[in-house]
Amino acid sequence: MKKPLLQSVFVLLLALAAGSAVAQITPKAYAPENLRTLSVQDQTRVISLEYSEQSRGRRIPDDQLRFYLDQVNRSNWTFSRIKQDIAQSLGGNNGGWNPNPPPVSGRTIVCESKSGDARRCTPPWRGPSRLVRQMSNSRCEEGTTWSSQDGLITVWKGCRGEFAAATTSSTGTIRCESSDGRGRTCRTPWRGHSRLTRQLSSAACVEGRSWQSQQGQVYVGNGCRAEFAARDGGSIGGNSGYTITCSSDDNRRRTCAYDARQGRPILLQQLSNNSCREGYSWGYAGNQVWVDRGCRGRFGPR
């Protein structure tokens, strides 16, 4: 065999070997449309491979993987549906993931935590806010790196996001999820208590054990992930829609003007980590609401 021919064969063998190595490094995610025909282990493998392929080698976040497994086994999501959702999560949210984000309408603002420091932003709307687009590499997770209250958004730990006024979905529900078994509190845009409408987790969602509600809030824990709606068809902010926010800054007592014609106020939503208990850290006298001991809350008529 002549030398040029030997060189050609050698180059061809190298190319084949390189192609084989690349195939081993970046395997393709092949799966049937109906992923329920696979074991959970194989479902995990092909979903993880698909995410890695689309994200150029990144690992799928644990909560996103759990969400897809739930959708496969509870809502019959197909492999094509998951591929499409992965593409949307990577392409439209800068790598951040927000399952089934509601459409953005009206105004939005950007709030950014620079150098990891906490920052407060004042939106041009009243009431709580929602994250519509993560713009940072640092994860934006409500309660962990950002929070909102009436007329204020706070971000920290490098979260940079675009926010809009919070609204209910077209079905009048919100989703609240306990990730890695940790407790989480979600604000609701309706008054009063909430009811569970659809469990999304394999962990049981039992009221009083792994979830509970109060005025304007839902708390979940022990891995419960579910959708909630107003228990009694409650409206946002009561019949009149009149609410005020009163804050005890630096644990000092403060009074806030309140329209007595609206009727006696109640605590609609606690916005602080410190407890708001009537007679102890908040109260009402004449045409004023007072707060103390770090209580910060939203108040309105019953």
Side-chain angles (χ1 to χ4, degrees), residues 2 4 27 33 56 85 96-97 103 118 165 219 230 244 246 261 266-267 295:
K2 296 183 179 180
E33 274 297 281
R56 298 181 180 179
D85 195 87
W97 179 67
Y219 170 83
I244 67 165
C246 201
R261 295 171 298 178
I266 62 172
L267 176 66
C295 166

Side-chain angles (χ1 to χ4, degrees), residues 1-293:
M1 187 178 292
K2 296 183 179 180
K3 188 173 183 180
L5 181 58
L6 288 173
Q7 290 176 341
S8 299
V9 172
F10 182 68
V11 170
L12 179 60
L13 290 173
L14 283 178
L16 291 173
S20 175
V22 170
Q24 292 177 1
I25 294 173
T26 57
K28 297 287 184 180
Y30 294 109
E33 274 297 281
N34 182 7
L35 292 177
R36 297 185 70 177
T37 61
L38 302 178
S39 65
V40 174
Q41 181 178 1
D42 285 338
Q43 292 172 7
T44 300
R45 178 180 57 80
V46 296
I47 293 172
S48 299
L49 284 176
E50 179 62 31
Y51 185 92
S52 177
E53 183 180 330
Q54 291 198 36
S55 65
R56 298 181 180 179
R58 286 165 50 190
R59 180 177 175 272
I60 186 170
D62 291 339
D63 55 353
Q64 190 169 357
L65 176 60
R66 286 194 299 268
F67 173 78
Y68 289 147
L69 292 174
D70 282 343
Q71 296 309 308
V72 167
N73 295 292
R74 293 180 180 274
S75 302
N76 293 321
W77 273 31
T78 64
F79 188 48
S80 295
R81 175 76 182 274
I82 289 177
K83 290 170 65 175
Q84 179 184 12
D85 195 87
I86 289 174
Q88 290 176 346
S89 72
L90 293 171
N93 202 27
N94 239 15
W97 179 67
N98 184 13
N100 299 324
V104 180
S105 60
R107 294 169 293 183
T108 64
I109 68 165
V110 173
C111 196
E112 179 178 9
S113 165
K114 296 181 178 180
S115 302
D117 297 332
R119 183 184 177 189
R120 294 182 175 181
C121 304
T122 303
W125 54 79
R126 291 185 58 185
S129 305
R130 61 184 172 91
L131 177 71
V132 297
R133 185 163 64 100
Q134 179 177 307
M135 305 173 71
S136 56
N137 292 326
S138 300
R139 195 162 181 83
C140 291
E141 181 178 347
E142 187 173 10
T144 302
T145 57
W146 75 271
S147 65
S148 79
Q149 62 188 67
D150 194 1
L152 186 67
I153 298 169
T154 305
V155 293
W156 63 96
K157 292 184 180 179
C159 168
R160 180 172 184 260
E162 184 178 3
F163 298 85
T167 59
T168 55
S169 68
S170 59
T171 58
T173 63
I174 66 160
R175 175 176 294 170
C176 198
E177 304 188 31
S178 164
S179 300
D180 299 325
R182 295 176 298 177
R184 182 183 179 190
T185 299
C186 303
R187 295 181 179 87
T188 63
W190 52 77
R191 281 189 57 188
H193 292 274
S194 305
R195 59 185 173 87
L196 188 149
T197 59
R198 186 162 71 104
Q199 180 174 310
L200 302 172
S201 58
S202 55
C205 291
V206 180
E207 187 170 10
R209 288 186 181 179
S210 53
W211 78 271
Q212 59 184 338
S213 74
Q214 61 185 54
Q215 296 283 356
Q217 290 183 336
V218 173
Y219 170 83
V220 293
N222 299 324
C224 169
R225 299 196 308 280
E227 291 179 352
F228 299 87
R231 173 164 292 176
D232 302 315
S235 60
I236 301 173
N239 294 329
S240 67
Y242 177 82
T243 65
I244 67 165
T245 298
C246 201
S247 302
S248 166
D249 297 325
D250 299 326
N251 294 321
R252 292 179 297 181
R253 187 183 181 94
R254 181 187 175 190
T255 58
C256 303
Y258 181 85
D259 186 356
R261 295 171 298 178
Q262 302 293 330
R264 194 182 191 285
I266 62 172
L267 176 66
L268 298 175
Q269 184 178 10
Q270 180 176 308
L271 304 171
S272 57
N273 291 327
N274 293 345
S275 174
C276 291
R277 300 204 313 263
E278 188 171 8
Y280 172 75
S281 54
W282 81 272
Y284 172 66
N287 60 352
Q288 290 184 328
V289 169
W290 62 266
V291 290
D292 203 355
R293 295 181 172 89

